[in-house]
Amino acid sequence: MELCIMLLECCSQERTYLRYYGLLGQRFCMINKVHQENFEKCFVQQYSMIHRLETNKLRNVGKFFAHLLGTDALPWHVLSYIRLTEEDTTSSSRIFIKILFQVLFQSHIFLFLFLYTLALLFHQF
């Protein structure tokens, strides 16, 4: 658990999100299921305390978890911990959710466009 916390803390301290941390987290999750479970616990812990984070840290943490979700390093059921009601969310948690889904959408739409373009190229031959 300490490894996951340290990696997440280092990621949040950067001025801008560095993909390096996402790749490290992804690799740890792929190597050992224990790390995956620990990152899942970190997600729950971070989301419950998201209102304490500065905007920049919040952005980096959101992008980190979006990377893990987008690469299937983290199971999608972690999103079940998010309750989308007016009473259960704060402005910080809404920003976190927004960043999380924006990054997920952007990464997957580019992948889709790349695959679509590739398919068109193969049809030409």
Side-chain angles (χ1 to χ4, degrees), residues 20-39:
Y20 169 76
Y21 293 109
L23 291 171
L24 274 176
Q26 176 187 355
R27 187 73 176 146
F28 283 125
C29 288
M30 298 295 185
I31 288 173
N32 194 334
K33 188 144 177 85
V34 171
H35 295 302
Q36 188 181 52
E37 292 166 358
N38 288 337
F39 276 115

Side-chain angles (χ1 to χ4, degrees), residues 47-77:
Y47 185 73
S48 68
M49 299 186 316
I50 205 75
H51 59 278
R52 298 181 185 172
L53 294 181
E54 304 165 7
T55 306
N56 191 53
K57 288 184 178 186
L58 190 144
R59 184 177 297 113
N60 287 348
V61 169
K63 288 181 177 186
F64 176 81
F65 283 116
H67 178 96
L68 293 185
L69 286 166
T71 57
D72 287 330
L74 201 59
W76 285 82
H77 70 83

